[in-house]
Amino acid sequence: ADTPGSCTVCGMPLERVPGDATQAGPQSTPRVLALPAEAVLTTGRRQIVYIEDEPGTYRPVQPRLGPRAGDFFPVLSGLKTGDRVVARGGFLLDSQFQIMGKPSLLYPEGTAGGGITHAGHGGPVGPAQEPSSHPPSPQPSPHSGH
């Protein structure tokens, strides 16, 4: 909407999305920095994107985003024009950050020592243990009859 007030569909208060009116022509709307929606990884409470600092070097950034508008999110802060944002493969990159114990979508502070994750629990269970040089002893089956 062009005027302040409430959304005619849901009733939420409308907020002006900042843009640089100097980039716009006399008959056009102001330009707004926007991200493709597929670049944004979200938990529902937190949103991150990965930025390529140099070829093969990435870092997570937690931008402040406006409400989704079609296939894009307007960027309110945290990113600037020219930032190289990972648009595809973000979940793969995030999983590698988690494996290495670095800050990621689910672990904003990283994990201590790159702990291992037990399947089904979704969190670190403790430090990795050195493998034993002896294989585990077979356990008799309760149904073996011996």
Side-chain angles (χ1 to χ4, degrees):
D2 293 330
T3 59
S6 298
C7 174
T8 58
V9 177
C10 69
M12 285 179 60
L14 298 175
E15 294 181 29
R16 179 165 298 282
V17 176
D20 185 355
T22 62
Q23 294 178 353
Q27 297 295 321
S28 64
T29 58
R31 294 181 170 257
V32 174
L33 183 62
L35 280 174
E38 61 193 16
V40 180
L41 305 181
T42 184
T43 65
R45 294 183 180 191
R46 184 167 177 262
Q47 297 171 319
I48 69 167
V49 296
Y50 280 93
I51 302 294
E52 183 182 45
D53 287 327
E54 58 185 56
T57 304
Y58 304 91
R59 67 181 160 90
V61 173
Q62 188 172 337
R64 193 170 136 233
L65 304 175
R68 185 172 176 161
D71 292 333
F72 295 90
F73 282 99
V75 177
L76 304 178
S77 65
L79 296 171
K80 62 186 181 312
T81 301
D83 283 340
R84 294 180 48 90
V85 176
V86 174
R88 292 192 181 157
F91 280 109
L92 177 61
L93 191 56
D94 192 71
S95 70
Q96 293 302 307
F97 271 63
Q98 288 180 34
I99 288 169
M100 294 185 295
K102 293 182 176 185
S104 63
L105 179 64
L106 297 177
Y107 301 102
E109 304 301 320
T111 56
I116 59 172
T117 301
H118 184 276
H121 293 287
V125 294
Q129 304 219 350
E130 290 295 317
S132 171
S133 58
H134 303 288
S137 303
Q139 298 295 317
S141 168
H143 304 291
S144 65
H146 294 291

